[in-house]
Amino acid sequence: MANGRGPDLHQRYYSYLLEQVRADHYPSALMLDLLEHGAHDQTERAELLDMLLEKVQQDRYPSPPMLRRIARIAG
């Protein structure tokens, strides 16, 4: 899909979403859904999983929906 002018559109969009979620301590469910459903390959899934694990490790009591999402992505 790349046209010689840099990353393809999917990669640009996915990277944008990932950075938005990474910067937000409590990211919206919509942004998380878009990332989860937009992960096209194992590399993107692993990158998303690592970022979400970093988020829950910062919280003393991580949210159950976030833990369920992580389990779903890892599973």
Side-chain angles (χ1 to χ4, degrees):
M1 261 193 245
N3 59 11
R5 295 184 301 185
D8 69 1
L9 294 177
H10 167 78
Q11 187 58 44
R12 287 174 49 200
Y13 173 69
Y14 193 81
S15 294
Y16 166 76
L17 287 176
L18 197 64
E19 289 308 311
Q20 292 297 309
V21 168
R22 183 174 279 125
D24 192 349
H25 188 73
Y26 298 108
S28 73
L30 173 62
M31 292 281 251
L32 292 169
D33 288 345
L34 290 171
L35 275 171
E36 184 178 347
H37 298 296
H40 285 173
D41 58 32
Q42 195 62 25
T43 301
E44 288 178 349
R45 291 170 55 85
E47 188 175 22
L48 175 58
L49 183 66
D50 289 342
M51 188 263 303
L52 294 178
L53 285 171
E54 289 172 14
K55 285 198 168 297
V56 297
Q57 290 170 345
Q58 295 172 7
D59 289 337
R60 185 171 183 179
Y61 302 105
S63 76
M66 184 69 83
L67 294 173
R68 282 192 291 274
R69 184 181 299 275
I70 289 169
R72 190 170 52 242
I73 295 168

